[in-house]
Amino acid sequence: MFTVIGEALVDVVWRPGAAEPVELVGGSPANVALGLARLGDPAGLITQYGPDEHGARIVARLGAAGVALDRSDAGAARTATATARVGADGAAAYEFDLAWAPKDLTPYPGSVAVHAGSLATLAPGDAVLAGMLAGVRGSTVVSYDPNVRPTLHGPVEHARDQVARFVALAHLVKASADDLAWLYPGEPVEAVAARWLAAGPSLVVVTLGADGGYLATAGYQLRCAAPPVDVVDTVGAGDACMSALLDGLYRAGALTLDALPALPADTARQVLHRALTAAAITCGRAGADPPTAAELAARLAG
């Protein structure tokens, strides 16, 4: 079982030239849980949603994929939304209407990893999340994706402190080049990764958009090219990458506290290439629509 913690919401997506938006179930952690389930992994999401139509859509979509759901606060008044405006290049800018205030967080029994990040690190729920991760990181792999949203995570000085706090609790960190550009403008990816590794993680991955991905451990660094794709939009691409990273490491026998620090470079390259391929598949279709195991295998075979 994989435990994923954080927001599930409805993306209200405006595309160039469209007269009306399209509503899609999203939220970075929800997308990661969906991606894991589609790759054949048991996954449970600890989240919040309200007793409304949007909440029912979340239950239906994730439930259909086999994702277990645990509402961390059954008293949520409404389901969160994110308005996404997609530009001509397929990139999306977001505006959010949400709150994150869990009273208690407990991983699913038997979890091989606990993944958190994105808006789950916002106050007031950040303290509850940090306390839970601190309690499990000695026995379970913790992964973290900052998935920074400047309108919610700012001011940048506060965001840097929050990111550093959760990086230190994680064994695996995945971020995007856009995250780093906002948090640490002008600083090379390699320098940020080295600082994060020194804080505690065993593995840092940075997605570089059309330039592929960068992976670093204490012993080596490597880069992988991005698979070719005709981009429809980038919604959920980073989350598909995160799901495939976790799945790939698990299938390689590397998602343990002992194995992750000793990850061989050739295995790391294969896992990163596979994760970038999952992201490319997602970029090639509308919305957060991560691939199934069969789709990913077919693309890798082709």
Side-chain angles (χ1 to χ4, degrees):
M1 173 67 79
F2 287 85
T3 291
V4 182
I5 303 169
E7 76 273 8
L9 48 77
V10 170
D11 286 321
V12 183
V13 182
W14 288 89
R15 301 191 183 281
E20 297 290 337
V22 176
E23 293 192 350
L24 304 166
V25 172
S28 177
N31 295 338
V32 171
L34 176 64
L36 285 165
R38 286 188 175 179
L39 292 174
D41 300 304
L45 176 67
I46 303 174
T47 190
Q48 295 181 330
Y49 53 88
D52 50 26
E53 180 182 348
H54 284 163
R57 292 181 65 176
I58 288 170
V59 172
R61 179 169 174 79
L62 297 180
V67 176
L69 285 171
D70 179 359
R71 290 178 69 186
S72 62
D73 182 2
R78 68 184 186 281
T79 300
T81 60
T83 299
R85 301 187 185 278
V86 179
D89 61 353
Y94 291 87
E95 299 172 3
F96 295 89
D97 175 19
L98 66 102
W100 173 251
K103 294 179 174 61
D104 180 63
L105 295 170
T106 303
Y108 286 85
S111 293
V112 297
V114 176
H115 173 75
S118 192
L119 308 182
T121 62
L122 297 179
D126 58 334
V128 177
L129 176 61
M132 187 277 283
L133 296 180
V136 304
R137 74 178 309 276
S139 59
T140 307
V141 170
V142 172
S143 63
Y144 167 56
D145 179 358
N147 194 39
V148 173
R149 305 301 184 193
T151 56
L152 292 177
H153 283 92
V156 67
E157 295 80 8
H158 172 72
R160 287 178 190 144
D161 289 344
Q162 281 291 76
V163 168
R165 177 188 189 187
F166 284 96
V167 164
L169 292 169
H171 305 98
L172 162 62
V173 179
K174 195 278 301 178
S176 70
D178 287 343
D179 291 335
L180 301 194
W182 184 74
L183 287 166
Y184 317 106
E187 189 168 356
V189 167
E190 295 84 354
V192 176
R195 186 167 64 251
W196 284 358
L197 287 168
S202 299
L203 184 65
V204 172
V205 173
V206 181
T207 55
L208 307 171
D211 292 326
Y214 168 85
L215 182 150
T217 72
Y220 58 83
Q221 306 169 43
L222 58 85
R223 290 176 182 257
C224 284
V229 61
D230 293 326
V231 176
V232 174
D233 64 47
T234 63
V235 177
D239 305 323
C241 180
M242 186 75 247
S243 299
L245 277 174
L246 290 169
D247 174 79
L249 290 167
Y250 176 72
R251 294 179 187 278
L255 201 62
T256 70
L257 299 183
D258 292 332
L260 196 59
L263 180 68
D266 57 345
T267 302
R269 186 177 298 279
Q270 293 170 7
V271 169
L272 180 57
H273 172 66
R274 184 172 179 269
L276 294 174
T277 302
I281 292 170
T282 306
C283 286
R285 48 204 196 190
D289 189 9
T292 63
E295 289 172 327
L296 182 54
R299 176 64 181 270
L300 290 168

PDB file of all heavy atoms in Angstrom, residues 6 27 56 74 106 185 206 217 219 240:
ATOM      1  N   GLY A   6      -2.888  14.729   1.007  1.00  0.00           N
ATOM      2  CA  GLY A   6      -3.005  16.079   0.474  1.00  0.00           C
ATOM      3  C   GLY A   6      -4.301  16.319  -0.253  1.00  0.00           C
ATOM      4  O   GLY A   6      -5.254  15.546  -0.143  1.00  0.00           O
ATOM      5  N   GLY A  27      -5.827  17.923  -8.263  1.00  0.00           N
ATOM      6  CA  GLY A  27      -5.096  18.050  -7.000  1.00  0.00           C
ATOM      7  C   GLY A  27      -3.885  17.151  -7.082  1.00  0.00           C
ATOM      8  O   GLY A  27      -4.009  15.954  -7.383  1.00  0.00           O
ATOM      9  N   ALA A  56     -18.524  14.378  -4.802  1.00  0.00           N
ATOM     10  CA  ALA A  56     -19.015  13.116  -5.373  1.00  0.00           C
ATOM     11  C   ALA A  56     -18.208  12.732  -6.606  1.00  0.00           C
ATOM     12  O   ALA A  56     -17.951  11.537  -6.850  1.00  0.00           O
ATOM     13  CB  ALA A  56     -20.492  13.245  -5.715  1.00  0.00           C
ATOM     14  N   ALA A  74     -14.138  15.134   8.154  1.00  0.00           N
ATOM     15  CA  ALA A  74     -15.459  14.923   7.565  1.00  0.00           C
ATOM     16  C   ALA A  74     -16.324  16.171   7.619  1.00  0.00           C
ATOM     17  O   ALA A  74     -17.387  16.217   7.016  1.00  0.00           O
ATOM     18  CB  ALA A  74     -16.168  13.769   8.265  1.00  0.00           C
ATOM     19  N   THR A 106      -3.012   9.508   9.835  1.00  0.00           N
ATOM     20  CA  THR A 106      -2.450   8.196  10.133  1.00  0.00           C
ATOM     21  C   THR A 106      -2.292   7.428   8.826  1.00  0.00           C
ATOM     22  O   THR A 106      -3.274   7.251   8.095  1.00  0.00           O
ATOM     23  CB  THR A 106      -3.360   7.399  11.078  1.00  0.00           C
ATOM     24  OG1 THR A 106      -3.570   8.153  12.277  1.00  0.00           O
ATOM     25  CG2 THR A 106      -2.738   6.055  11.423  1.00  0.00           C
ATOM     26  N   PRO A 185      15.869  31.766  -7.384  1.00  0.00           N
ATOM     27  CA  PRO A 185      16.146  32.286  -8.730  1.00  0.00           C
ATOM     28  C   PRO A 185      17.635  32.401  -9.010  1.00  0.00           C
ATOM     29  O   PRO A 185      18.415  32.892  -8.192  1.00  0.00           O
ATOM     30  CB  PRO A 185      15.460  33.661  -8.711  1.00  0.00           C
ATOM     31  CG  PRO A 185      15.240  33.997  -7.269  1.00  0.00           C
ATOM     32  CD  PRO A 185      15.067  32.699  -6.567  1.00  0.00           C
ATOM     33  N   VAL A 206      14.666  16.299 -10.293  1.00  0.00           N
ATOM     34  CA  VAL A 206      14.124  17.573 -10.775  1.00  0.00           C
ATOM     35  C   VAL A 206      13.681  17.386 -12.222  1.00  0.00           C
ATOM     36  O   VAL A 206      14.492  16.983 -13.070  1.00  0.00           O
ATOM     37  CB  VAL A 206      15.151  18.713 -10.686  1.00  0.00           C
ATOM     38  CG1 VAL A 206      14.521  20.025 -11.167  1.00  0.00           C
ATOM     39  CG2 VAL A 206      15.673  18.866  -9.258  1.00  0.00           C
ATOM     40  N   THR A 217      22.060  11.648  -6.255  1.00  0.00           N
ATOM     41  CA  THR A 217      22.239  10.986  -4.972  1.00  0.00           C
ATOM     42  C   THR A 217      23.553  11.511  -4.384  1.00  0.00           C
ATOM     43  O   THR A 217      24.234  12.327  -4.997  1.00  0.00           O
ATOM     44  CB  THR A 217      22.325   9.461  -5.122  1.00  0.00           C
ATOM     45  OG1 THR A 217      23.586   9.126  -5.724  1.00  0.00           O
ATOM     46  CG2 THR A 217      21.197   8.917  -6.001  1.00  0.00           C
ATOM     47  N   GLY A 219      26.178   9.939  -4.308  1.00  0.00           N
ATOM     48  CA  GLY A 219      27.301   9.367  -5.040  1.00  0.00           C
ATOM     49  C   GLY A 219      27.387   9.725  -6.509  1.00  0.00           C
ATOM     50  O   GLY A 219      28.451   9.571  -7.117  1.00  0.00           O
ATOM     51  N   ALA A 240       2.186  12.510 -12.646  1.00  0.00           N
ATOM     52  CA  ALA A 240       2.391  11.218 -13.313  1.00  0.00           C
ATOM     53  C   ALA A 240       3.835  10.774 -13.169  1.00  0.00           C
ATOM     54  O   ALA A 240       4.126   9.582 -12.960  1.00  0.00           O
ATOM     55  CB  ALA A 240       2.006  11.322 -14.785  1.00  0.00           C
TER      56      ALA A 240
END
